[in-house]
Amino acid sequence: MLASTSRPALKVLTPTLAERLRVFNHAARTLQLMGVRLLRIEPLENSLTIEPAAGFKIVGTQPVTGFQKHPSAGSTRYVVQFQGVTLEWREPISAARPDDWARNTIH
């Protein structure tokens, strides 16, 4: 049996996916214009991983929603929504020590 030579074009980029990618790309470009280094780009998950210093700067200067803090044994993971995209960054536990912890301990 011979295959047909006229195949219908596949429509991979649906209108919904196209809009989602437009929003994702706009947020990523905005962050890059702000000087934020993107460590991980995950368009299918609608997520960007950034450096900790940039994350705290964004929280302090830009409108974000859904701030979440997830401490664990070795680091703290932060998650926020920025322009419809999830931003995530991790800060090592050692980076968050207050100054008074650096003094000698007397037993």
Side-chain angles (χ1 to χ4, degrees):
M1 183 178 207
L2 296 174
S4 174
T5 57
S6 61
R7 294 184 183 174
L10 294 176
K11 191 169 188 176
V12 177
L13 192 59
T14 63
T16 304
L17 181 57
E19 176 61 18
R20 189 170 159 198
L21 286 173
R22 186 193 66 73
V23 169
F24 181 83
N25 287 337
H26 177 71
R29 287 184 181 121
T30 301
L31 290 169
Q32 287 178 321
L33 287 173
M34 293 169 51
V36 174
R37 184 172 165 217
L38 305 179
L39 302 177
R40 187 177 209 169
I41 301 169
E42 300 181 50
L44 295 178
E45 289 81 22
N46 200 34
S47 175
L48 295 166
T49 302
I50 60 175
E51 295 177 315
F56 293 119
K57 179 181 175 186
I58 289 168
V59 168
T61 61
Q62 300 293 317
V64 296
T65 59
F67 181 84
Q68 297 175 11
K69 181 179 178 180
H70 303 278
S72 67
S75 65
T76 302
R77 181 173 61 99
Y78 297 90
V79 179
V80 297
Q81 290 291 316
F82 172 76
Q83 296 184 359
V85 175
T86 301
L87 296 184
E88 180 179 317
W89 66 92
R90 291 183 184 274
E91 181 180 51
I93 295 291
S94 61
R97 291 185 181 168
D99 290 336
D100 60 339
W101 287 15
R103 288 184 264 170
N104 294 335
T105 303
I106 300 172
H107 293 277

XYZ file of all heavy atoms in Angstrom:
839
model
N 0.836 -1.173 0.000
C 0.000 0.000 0.000
C 0.886 1.243 0.000
O 1.820 1.352 0.781
C -0.896 -0.035 1.231
C -1.858 1.081 1.315
S -2.794 0.742 2.808
C -4.262 1.511 2.466
N 0.587 2.185 -0.835
C 1.351 3.413 -0.945
C 0.848 4.459 0.036
O -0.351 4.591 0.247
C 1.264 3.967 -2.366
C 1.882 3.076 -3.450
C 1.590 3.668 -4.812
C 3.372 2.962 -3.238
N 1.774 5.183 0.611
C 1.405 6.240 1.552
C 0.977 7.484 0.768
O 1.467 7.749 -0.328
C 2.580 6.573 2.444
N 0.106 8.222 1.339
C -0.356 9.466 0.721
C 0.761 10.501 0.745
O 1.498 10.620 1.713
C -1.569 9.990 1.474
O -1.928 11.244 0.980
N 0.897 11.244 -0.319
C 1.928 12.284 -0.373
C 1.439 13.612 0.163
O 2.222 14.514 0.391
C 2.421 12.475 -1.818
O 1.297 12.794 -2.635
C 3.123 11.225 -2.311
N 0.161 13.749 0.357
C -0.371 15.011 0.893
C -0.834 14.780 2.329
O -1.908 14.270 2.582
C -1.526 15.523 0.033
O -2.565 14.569 0.032
N 0.015 15.143 3.245
C -0.305 14.985 4.672
C -0.740 16.328 5.238
O -0.160 17.361 4.903
C 0.914 14.499 5.434
C 1.334 13.120 5.033
C 2.474 12.659 5.884
N 2.901 11.347 5.427
C 3.937 10.721 5.877
N 4.689 11.276 6.798
N 4.261 9.529 5.433
N -1.708 16.304 6.115
C -2.098 17.577 6.754
C -0.982 18.051 7.680
O -0.289 17.252 8.295
C -3.357 17.218 7.542
C -3.298 15.735 7.723
C -2.513 15.183 6.564
N -0.806 19.347 7.750
C 0.219 19.924 8.617
C -0.130 19.669 10.078
O -1.288 19.794 10.474
C 0.337 21.415 8.354
N 0.874 19.284 10.847
C 0.664 19.076 12.281
C 0.602 20.417 12.983
O 1.404 21.304 12.723
C 1.800 18.243 12.870
C 1.898 16.807 12.393
C 3.139 16.152 13.000
C 0.664 16.023 12.763
N -0.358 20.556 13.863
C -0.478 21.795 14.622
C 0.030 21.518 16.035
O -0.705 21.085 16.903
C -1.924 22.261 14.635
C -2.074 23.651 15.157
C -3.464 24.179 14.916
C -3.503 25.636 15.269
N -4.782 26.218 14.982
N 1.316 21.761 16.237
C 1.952 21.470 17.513
C 1.755 22.622 18.489
O 1.512 22.426 19.663
C 3.459 21.184 17.305
C 4.154 20.954 18.632
C 3.637 19.999 16.379
N 1.850 23.835 18.001
C 1.740 25.012 18.852
C 0.284 25.485 18.872
O -0.166 26.215 18.013
C 2.660 26.117 18.329
C 2.896 27.304 19.250
C 3.515 26.851 20.563
C 3.798 28.305 18.574
N -0.431 25.030 19.896
C -1.834 25.421 20.041
C -1.900 26.870 20.519
O -0.919 27.397 21.062
C -2.538 24.508 21.056
O -1.918 24.695 22.332
C -2.468 23.047 20.636
N -3.039 27.519 20.351
C -3.161 28.905 20.838
C -2.880 29.034 22.338
O -2.250 29.997 22.775
C -4.606 29.271 20.510
C -4.958 28.389 19.358
C -4.211 27.103 19.594
N -3.288 28.054 23.118
C -3.050 28.098 24.565
C -1.558 28.006 24.867
O -1.023 28.774 25.670
C -3.789 26.947 25.270
O -5.175 27.032 24.948
C -3.600 26.995 26.769
N -0.871 27.071 24.211
C 0.565 26.923 24.429
C 1.328 28.141 23.917
O 2.278 28.601 24.552
C 1.088 25.659 23.745
C 2.575 25.362 23.896
C 2.980 25.273 25.371
C 2.941 24.088 23.162
N 0.886 28.701 22.804
C 1.538 29.894 22.259
C 1.445 31.064 23.242
O 2.424 31.782 23.454
C 0.908 30.272 20.922
N 0.284 31.252 23.866
C 0.117 32.338 24.846
C 0.977 32.092 26.077
O 1.610 33.004 26.604
C -1.353 32.476 25.235
C -1.624 33.504 26.304
C -1.224 34.935 25.912
O -1.052 35.226 24.711
O -1.075 35.763 26.823
N 1.016 30.862 26.526
C 1.825 30.515 27.701
C 3.315 30.762 27.432
O 4.027 31.295 28.275
C 1.573 29.060 28.058
C 2.175 28.650 29.355
C 1.684 27.289 29.749
N 2.605 26.706 30.683
C 2.674 25.439 30.969
N 1.872 24.609 30.385
N 3.537 25.000 31.838
N 3.781 30.389 26.242
C 5.175 30.626 25.886
C 5.466 32.116 25.725
O 6.554 32.577 26.064
C 5.537 29.880 24.603
C 5.707 28.373 24.756
C 5.895 27.727 23.397
C 6.859 28.045 25.675
N 4.493 32.870 25.234
C 4.669 34.324 25.103
C 4.877 34.951 26.477
O 5.784 35.749 26.681
C 3.457 34.954 24.408
C 3.644 36.448 24.113
C 2.345 37.115 23.714
N 1.373 37.156 24.801
C 1.457 37.965 25.865
N 2.472 38.786 26.000
N 0.530 37.935 26.803
N 4.042 34.572 27.443
C 4.161 35.089 28.817
C 5.500 34.662 29.421
O 6.194 35.470 30.037
C 2.972 34.597 29.675
C 3.192 34.883 31.152
C 1.679 35.226 29.188
N 5.867 33.398 29.232
C 7.126 32.875 29.766
C 8.319 33.635 29.185
O 9.207 34.069 29.916
C 7.238 31.383 29.453
C 8.474 30.740 29.976
C 8.547 30.307 31.290
C 9.587 30.567 29.164
C 9.688 29.711 31.785
C 10.741 29.977 29.649
C 10.788 29.545 30.961
N 8.350 33.799 27.875
C 9.457 34.503 27.222
C 9.542 35.962 27.658
O 10.635 36.498 27.859
C 9.333 34.417 25.700
C 9.670 33.048 25.180
O 10.374 32.277 25.813
N 9.150 32.721 24.009
N 8.388 36.606 27.825
C 8.375 38.007 28.263
C 8.983 38.134 29.666
O 9.812 39.017 29.917
C 6.959 38.567 28.238
C 6.859 39.965 28.732
N 7.347 41.043 28.026
C 6.368 40.478 29.880
C 7.147 42.148 28.711
N 6.550 41.826 29.854
N 8.584 37.245 30.581
C 9.124 37.284 31.945
C 10.627 37.001 31.939
O 11.392 37.686 32.633
C 8.395 36.278 32.830
N 11.075 36.022 31.148
C 12.503 35.689 31.087
C 13.307 36.863 30.534
O 14.377 37.191 31.059
C 12.716 34.446 30.230
N 12.797 37.508 29.514
C 13.505 38.667 28.946
C 13.538 39.838 29.914
O 14.549 40.547 30.019
C 12.848 39.076 27.630
C 13.148 38.113 26.515
C 12.569 38.580 25.195
N 12.857 37.610 24.162
C 11.937 36.983 23.447
N 10.661 37.242 23.639
N 12.286 36.118 22.525
N 12.450 40.048 30.638
C 12.414 41.117 31.638
C 13.477 40.875 32.704
O 14.201 41.794 33.093
C 11.019 41.214 32.287
O 10.051 41.478 31.273
C 10.967 42.291 33.349
N 13.577 39.651 33.180
C 14.584 39.319 34.186
C 15.999 39.528 33.650
O 16.868 40.067 34.345
C 14.415 37.870 34.651
C 13.175 37.598 35.495
C 12.972 36.101 35.675
C 13.261 38.303 36.835
N 16.242 39.124 32.419
C 17.565 39.303 31.832
C 17.906 40.785 31.679
O 19.043 41.195 31.903
C 17.661 38.589 30.493
C 17.734 37.079 30.668
C 17.784 36.346 29.354
O 17.119 36.713 28.394
N 18.578 35.283 29.312
N 16.908 41.610 31.333
C 17.142 43.050 31.235
C 17.461 43.658 32.597
O 18.165 44.661 32.690
C 15.936 43.751 30.616
C 15.740 43.533 29.119
C 14.411 44.132 28.664
C 16.893 44.133 28.339
N 16.952 43.036 33.671
C 17.235 43.485 35.028
C 18.603 42.995 35.499
O 19.026 43.305 36.609
C 16.157 42.971 35.989
C 14.790 43.567 35.759
S 13.473 42.719 36.693
C 14.108 42.700 38.341
N 19.290 42.199 34.694
C 20.598 41.681 35.067
C 20.551 40.382 35.846
O 21.548 39.973 36.434
N 19.391 39.718 35.858
C 19.245 38.465 36.593
C 19.782 37.320 35.738
O 19.437 37.187 34.563
C 17.755 38.207 36.937
C 17.574 36.837 37.570
C 17.240 39.293 37.855
N 20.611 36.509 36.332
C 21.172 35.346 35.639
C 20.208 34.173 35.794
O 19.875 33.778 36.919
C 22.527 35.004 36.232
C 23.221 33.883 35.521
C 24.636 33.735 36.047
N 25.154 32.462 35.609
C 25.941 31.702 36.328
N 26.331 32.090 37.526
N 26.370 30.558 35.876
N 19.765 33.621 34.682
C 18.851 32.477 34.688
C 19.679 31.195 34.745
O 20.441 30.895 33.830
C 17.969 32.486 33.442
C 17.175 33.765 33.192
C 16.379 33.642 31.909
C 16.285 34.097 34.359
N 19.534 30.438 35.829
C 20.314 29.221 36.012
C 19.655 28.021 35.348
O 20.329 27.105 34.889
C 20.513 28.932 37.498
C 21.201 30.030 38.312
C 21.264 29.641 39.777
C 22.586 30.297 37.754
N 18.333 28.006 35.333
C 17.589 26.893 34.742
C 16.333 27.441 34.105
O 15.579 28.172 34.735
C 17.255 25.877 35.818
C 16.640 24.629 35.308
C 16.428 23.666 36.444
N 16.507 22.323 35.926
C 16.573 21.262 36.676
N 16.610 21.387 37.973
N 16.614 20.078 36.140
N 16.091 27.051 32.856
C 14.927 27.513 32.103
C 14.064 26.302 31.786
O 14.518 25.383 31.096
C 15.374 28.219 30.806
C 16.269 29.406 31.152
C 14.176 28.643 29.974
C 16.972 30.017 29.971
N 12.847 26.290 32.311
C 11.936 25.168 32.104
C 10.599 25.672 31.580
O 9.649 25.862 32.344
C 11.747 24.406 33.410
C 13.046 23.838 33.960
C 12.851 23.075 35.245
O 11.960 22.216 35.289
O 13.587 23.361 36.193
N 10.487 25.888 30.258
C 9.252 26.443 29.705
C 8.045 25.516 29.858
O 6.930 25.991 30.042
C 9.576 26.696 28.235
C 10.815 25.936 27.951
C 11.512 25.707 29.249
N 8.231 24.203 29.819
C 7.092 23.286 29.962
C 6.516 23.336 31.372
O 5.314 23.164 31.561
C 7.495 21.861 29.598
C 7.878 21.648 28.134
C 8.299 20.201 27.896
C 6.739 22.036 27.220
N 7.367 23.572 32.372
C 6.910 23.686 33.755
C 6.577 25.126 34.120
O 6.154 25.404 35.235
C 7.967 23.146 34.721
C 8.119 21.643 34.688
C 8.984 21.172 33.531
O 9.785 21.969 33.020
O 8.837 20.013 33.137
N 6.825 26.061 33.195
C 6.595 27.495 33.416
C 7.403 27.981 34.623
O 6.903 28.686 35.489
C 5.096 27.772 33.604
C 4.757 29.212 33.355
O 5.358 29.867 32.511
N 3.791 29.728 34.084
N 8.681 27.579 34.657
C 9.520 27.832 35.820
C 10.921 28.288 35.411
O 11.480 27.803 34.431
C 9.616 26.542 36.642
O 10.504 26.690 37.706
N 11.470 29.210 36.208
C 12.839 29.687 36.027
C 13.559 29.583 37.364
O 13.001 29.952 38.399
C 12.847 31.148 35.574
C 12.255 31.451 34.204
C 12.012 32.939 34.042
C 13.180 30.938 33.127
N 14.790 29.090 37.351
C 15.614 29.050 38.549
C 16.651 30.162 38.424
O 17.301 30.290 37.391
C 16.304 27.683 38.701
O 15.300 26.662 38.734
C 17.132 27.618 39.973
N 16.773 30.963 39.488
C 17.665 32.119 39.471
C 18.597 32.073 40.678
O 18.461 31.217 41.552
C 16.862 33.437 39.460
C 15.976 33.541 40.702
C 16.023 33.541 38.196
C 15.234 34.860 40.828
N 19.539 33.016 40.737
C 20.473 33.107 41.856
C 19.780 33.691 43.084
O 18.871 34.509 42.954
C 21.657 33.989 41.474
C 22.498 33.414 40.360
C 23.617 34.340 39.948
O 23.375 35.546 39.799
O 24.733 33.841 39.789
N 20.205 33.287 44.293
C 19.569 33.774 45.519
C 19.564 35.296 45.657
O 18.541 35.891 46.003
C 20.379 33.137 46.641
C 21.027 31.962 46.037
C 21.243 32.300 44.588
N 20.679 35.944 45.382
C 20.742 37.408 45.534
C 19.731 38.094 44.624
O 19.068 39.053 45.019
C 22.153 37.905 45.241
N 19.591 37.586 43.411
C 18.626 38.157 42.471
C 17.200 37.920 42.954
O 16.333 38.790 42.825
C 18.820 37.559 41.087
N 16.943 36.748 43.531
C 15.608 36.449 44.037
C 15.174 37.406 45.124
O 14.063 37.942 45.102
N 16.063 37.663 46.088
C 15.730 38.585 47.172
C 15.576 40.014 46.660
O 14.735 40.773 47.140
C 16.765 38.508 48.289
C 16.744 37.191 49.009
C 17.868 36.374 49.024
C 15.602 36.752 49.658
C 17.853 35.159 49.673
C 15.571 35.534 50.314
C 16.700 34.734 50.315
N 16.368 40.380 45.661
C 16.254 41.710 45.064
C 14.894 41.870 44.374
O 14.234 42.898 44.526
C 17.379 41.931 44.056
C 17.326 43.279 43.381
C 18.444 43.433 42.368
C 18.296 44.737 41.605
N 19.275 44.856 40.527
N 14.464 40.840 43.654
C 13.169 40.891 42.963
C 12.035 41.010 43.967
O 11.112 41.798 43.786
C 12.997 39.652 42.064
C 13.945 39.755 40.874
C 11.557 39.508 41.583
C 14.067 38.479 40.087
N 12.103 40.232 45.031
C 11.046 40.284 46.059
C 10.957 41.678 46.670
O 9.870 42.170 46.959
C 11.291 39.212 47.150
C 10.393 39.427 48.347
C 11.083 37.827 46.566
N 12.094 42.343 46.826
C 12.111 43.668 47.426
C 11.735 44.798 46.494
O 11.335 45.866 46.957
N 11.854 44.585 45.181
C 11.649 45.706 44.253
C 10.550 45.495 43.214
O 10.109 46.456 42.606
C 12.949 46.017 43.477
O 13.320 44.862 42.710
C 14.076 46.392 44.425
N 10.114 44.265 42.989
C 9.134 43.976 41.941
C 7.865 43.372 42.541
O 7.911 42.739 43.591
C 9.716 42.972 40.926
C 10.962 43.450 40.228
C 10.690 44.625 39.312
O 9.707 44.642 38.587
N 11.559 45.620 39.365
N 6.739 43.541 41.850
C 5.511 42.904 42.339
C 5.564 41.386 42.107
O 5.708 40.928 40.977
C 4.407 43.551 41.510
C 5.080 44.137 40.315
C 6.501 44.381 40.678
N 5.509 40.630 43.189
C 5.475 39.168 43.128
C 4.327 38.682 43.999
O 3.849 39.396 44.876
C 6.800 38.523 43.605
C 7.951 38.886 42.689
C 7.118 38.883 45.027
N 3.891 37.455 43.771
C 2.826 36.857 44.577
C 3.252 35.466 45.015
O 4.165 34.871 44.446
C 1.505 36.752 43.786
O 1.725 35.950 42.622
C 0.985 38.115 43.385
N 2.570 34.947 46.018
C 2.757 33.571 46.445
C 4.127 33.249 47.000
O 4.647 32.160 46.758
N 4.714 34.157 47.765
C 6.044 33.910 48.341
C 5.976 32.689 49.243
O 5.161 32.613 50.152
C 6.503 35.134 49.132
C 7.875 34.975 49.732
C 9.004 35.251 48.979
C 8.037 34.540 51.035
C 10.276 35.107 49.520
C 9.300 34.398 51.588
C 10.425 34.678 50.823
N 6.852 31.710 48.973
C 6.922 30.497 49.782
C 8.372 30.230 50.166
O 9.275 30.425 49.372
C 6.400 29.289 49.012
C 4.952 29.384 48.623
C 4.537 28.202 47.759
O 5.254 27.224 47.623
N 3.370 28.311 47.161
N 8.546 29.764 51.393
C 9.876 29.443 51.926
C 9.836 27.993 52.391
O 8.991 27.625 53.206
C 10.197 30.388 53.084
C 11.534 30.189 53.710
C 11.730 31.219 54.823
C 13.049 31.039 55.523
N 13.233 32.022 56.600
N 10.746 27.153 51.858
C 10.771 25.734 52.183
C 12.146 25.357 52.739
O 13.050 25.005 51.981
C 10.478 24.895 50.932
C 9.189 25.220 50.267
N 7.989 24.721 50.684
C 8.915 26.029 49.209
C 7.020 25.196 49.907
N 7.560 25.994 49.016
N 12.324 25.434 54.071
C 13.624 25.058 54.646
C 13.820 23.540 54.628
O 12.866 22.782 54.750
C 13.550 25.585 56.069
C 12.113 25.760 56.366
C 11.398 25.921 55.066
N 15.066 23.124 54.456
C 15.420 21.710 54.536
C 16.759 21.599 55.261
O 17.275 22.599 55.757
C 15.501 21.094 53.136
O 16.584 21.636 52.420
N 17.332 20.416 55.294
C 18.564 20.199 56.053
C 19.742 21.010 55.528
O 20.544 21.506 56.298
C 18.918 18.723 56.040
N 19.873 21.181 54.215
C 21.054 21.841 53.681
C 20.819 23.194 53.054
O 21.756 23.945 52.836
N 19.570 23.511 52.731
C 19.301 24.787 52.070
C 17.843 25.183 52.277
O 17.040 24.392 52.761
C 19.599 24.687 50.572
O 18.702 23.780 49.957
N 17.540 26.396 51.905
C 16.165 26.882 51.927
C 15.780 27.207 50.493
O 16.503 27.911 49.799
C 16.023 28.133 52.810
O 16.463 27.805 54.123
C 14.591 28.611 52.867
N 14.653 26.661 50.062
C 14.160 26.906 48.707
C 13.063 27.956 48.779
O 12.164 27.880 49.600
C 13.611 25.617 48.099
C 13.105 25.769 46.678
C 12.731 24.420 46.078
N 11.684 23.752 46.802
C 10.398 23.761 46.448
N 10.017 24.393 45.369
N 9.510 23.123 47.168
N 13.168 28.963 47.911
C 12.189 30.034 47.842
C 11.474 29.953 46.502
O 12.099 29.671 45.472
C 12.875 31.396 47.961
C 13.565 31.607 49.292
C 14.891 31.244 49.476
C 12.880 32.162 50.365
C 15.526 31.431 50.686
C 13.509 32.355 51.587
C 14.827 31.985 51.738
O 15.437 32.169 52.943
N 10.165 30.217 46.520
C 9.358 30.177 45.305
C 8.429 31.383 45.308
O 7.792 31.680 46.325
C 8.516 28.880 45.235
C 7.664 28.839 43.982
C 9.401 27.651 45.319
N 8.368 32.093 44.173
C 7.429 33.208 43.995
C 6.878 33.156 42.576
O 7.438 32.494 41.698
C 8.085 34.596 44.230
C 8.571 34.749 45.645
C 9.191 34.857 43.242
N 5.787 33.864 42.362
C 5.225 34.048 41.025
C 5.594 35.451 40.562
O 5.330 36.427 41.265
C 3.701 33.899 41.047
C 3.227 32.492 41.300
C 3.535 31.588 40.124
O 3.338 31.945 38.975
N 4.045 30.408 40.424
N 6.199 35.544 39.383
C 6.617 36.819 38.806
C 6.092 36.874 37.380
O 6.473 36.061 36.539
C 8.143 36.926 38.833
C 8.700 38.111 38.108
C 8.629 39.372 38.674
C 9.285 37.978 36.866
C 9.142 40.473 38.002
C 9.803 39.064 36.196
C 9.726 40.322 36.768
N 5.203 37.793 37.114
C 4.619 37.976 35.789
C 4.074 36.668 35.217
O 4.221 36.375 34.035
C 5.626 38.606 34.831
C 6.047 39.997 35.227
C 6.984 40.636 34.207
O 7.341 40.050 33.196
N 7.374 41.868 34.486
N 3.456 35.859 36.052
C 2.845 34.611 35.599
C 3.789 33.433 35.490
O 3.402 32.364 35.028
N 5.036 33.593 35.920
C 6.037 32.528 35.840
C 6.547 32.230 37.250
O 6.728 33.134 38.061
C 7.208 32.946 34.922
C 8.309 31.911 34.923
C 6.715 33.193 33.510
N 6.796 30.963 37.536
C 7.336 30.568 38.835
C 8.840 30.795 38.855
O 9.562 30.306 37.991
C 7.048 29.077 39.100
O 5.637 28.864 39.059
C 7.602 28.642 40.447
N 9.294 31.573 39.836
C 10.728 31.773 40.054
C 11.120 30.969 41.282
O 10.410 30.949 42.287
C 11.048 33.248 40.313
C 10.789 34.244 39.206
C 11.264 35.623 39.639
C 11.458 33.822 37.929
N 12.259 30.318 41.190
C 12.747 29.506 42.305
C 14.232 29.770 42.496
O 14.970 29.961 41.534
C 12.523 28.027 41.976
C 12.992 27.080 43.043
C 12.721 25.625 42.668
O 11.642 25.319 42.162
O 13.630 24.812 42.905
N 14.649 29.792 43.759
C 16.074 29.876 44.067
C 16.319 29.181 45.387
O 15.416 28.998 46.189
C 16.572 31.324 44.088
C 16.027 32.206 45.168
C 16.565 32.424 46.391
C 14.826 32.982 45.129
N 15.788 33.293 47.113
C 14.711 33.658 46.348
C 13.829 33.173 44.173
C 13.643 34.494 46.652
C 12.768 34.008 44.464
C 12.687 34.663 45.691
N 17.554 28.753 45.582
C 17.961 28.058 46.810
C 19.090 28.826 47.465
O 19.996 29.310 46.801
C 18.426 26.643 46.504
C 17.317 25.747 46.050
C 17.822 24.330 45.816
N 16.776 23.493 45.289
C 15.891 22.840 46.032
N 15.962 22.912 47.337
N 14.954 22.110 45.480
N 19.010 28.884 48.770
C 20.061 29.527 49.550
C 20.598 28.510 50.545
O 19.828 27.922 51.307
C 19.484 30.736 50.293
C 20.515 31.467 51.109
C 19.913 32.652 51.840
O 18.895 32.477 52.508
O 20.493 33.726 51.712
N 21.909 28.269 50.543
C 22.484 27.325 51.518
C 22.209 27.790 52.940
O 22.176 28.994 53.214
C 23.980 27.352 51.220
C 24.105 27.930 49.853
C 22.921 28.819 49.660
N 21.998 26.865 53.842
C 21.731 27.196 55.240
C 22.849 28.062 55.805
O 22.610 29.014 56.517
C 21.576 25.915 56.087
C 20.343 25.142 55.640
C 21.507 26.240 57.579
C 19.021 25.788 55.946
N 24.099 27.787 55.457
C 25.231 28.540 56.002
C 25.186 30.007 55.591
O 25.751 30.851 56.274
C 26.544 27.914 55.543
O 26.635 27.944 54.132
N 24.510 30.343 54.509
C 24.464 31.729 54.054
C 23.514 32.578 54.894
O 23.610 33.795 54.898
C 24.015 31.789 52.598
N 22.636 31.963 55.660
C 21.626 32.710 56.398
C 21.947 32.868 57.887
O 21.087 33.198 58.671
C 20.275 32.014 56.237
N 23.180 32.635 58.288
C 23.529 32.728 59.705
C 23.593 34.175 60.162
O 24.237 35.007 59.532
C 24.885 32.086 59.953
C 24.878 30.598 59.792
C 26.207 30.029 60.166
N 26.183 28.594 59.969
C 27.250 27.842 59.985
N 28.432 28.376 60.194
N 27.153 26.558 59.803
N 22.974 34.463 61.286
C 23.099 35.817 61.851
C 24.526 36.065 62.327
O 25.276 35.131 62.603
C 22.138 35.802 63.040
C 21.256 34.622 62.836
C 22.024 33.638 62.006
N 24.920 37.313 62.440
C 26.284 37.671 62.851
C 26.648 37.131 64.231
O 27.793 36.753 64.475
C 26.465 39.189 62.834
C 26.481 39.741 61.421
O 26.804 38.978 60.480
O 26.154 40.928 61.257
N 25.683 37.070 65.142
C 26.019 36.619 66.497
C 26.343 35.117 66.553
O 26.903 34.640 67.525
C 24.911 36.969 67.483
C 23.575 36.333 67.133
O 23.379 35.960 65.964
O 22.727 36.232 68.035
N 26.035 34.353 65.514
C 26.406 32.944 65.476
C 27.896 32.769 65.208
O 28.456 31.724 65.486
C 25.635 32.215 64.389
C 24.198 31.990 64.698
C 23.460 32.593 65.676
C 23.329 31.110 64.023
N 22.176 32.143 65.640
C 22.064 31.234 64.620
C 23.469 30.242 62.962
C 20.958 30.511 64.205
C 22.378 29.523 62.541
C 21.133 29.654 63.166
N 28.531 33.770 64.672
C 29.937 33.669 64.310
C 30.867 33.783 65.525
O 32.039 33.478 65.434
C 30.293 34.750 63.288
N 30.329 34.235 66.659
C 31.165 34.358 67.860
C 31.479 33.007 68.450
O 30.762 32.024 68.232
C 30.443 35.220 68.905
C 30.411 36.679 68.499
C 29.796 37.494 69.593
N 28.383 37.630 69.208
C 27.450 38.108 69.966
N 27.719 38.487 71.185
N 26.221 38.213 69.548
N 32.557 32.954 69.228
C 32.931 31.715 69.908
C 31.872 31.311 70.914
O 31.266 32.147 71.594
C 34.275 31.869 70.621
C 35.406 32.062 69.622
O 35.295 31.637 68.492
N 36.476 32.693 70.075
N 31.646 30.011 71.035
C 30.694 29.483 71.999
C 31.418 29.138 73.294
O 32.465 28.472 73.264
C 30.020 28.217 71.440
O 29.410 28.544 70.197
C 28.961 27.690 72.377
N 30.878 29.580 74.409
C 31.482 29.316 75.698
C 30.674 28.220 76.369
O 29.463 28.334 76.526
C 31.513 30.588 76.581
C 32.320 31.664 75.865
C 32.069 30.286 77.951
C 32.268 33.020 76.528
N 31.384 27.146 76.808
C 30.707 26.022 77.466
C 31.050 26.005 78.926
O 32.058 26.300 79.394
C 31.114 24.693 76.852
C 30.636 24.545 75.453
N 29.386 24.133 75.134
C 31.262 24.791 74.257
C 29.261 24.083 73.818
N 30.383 24.485 73.267
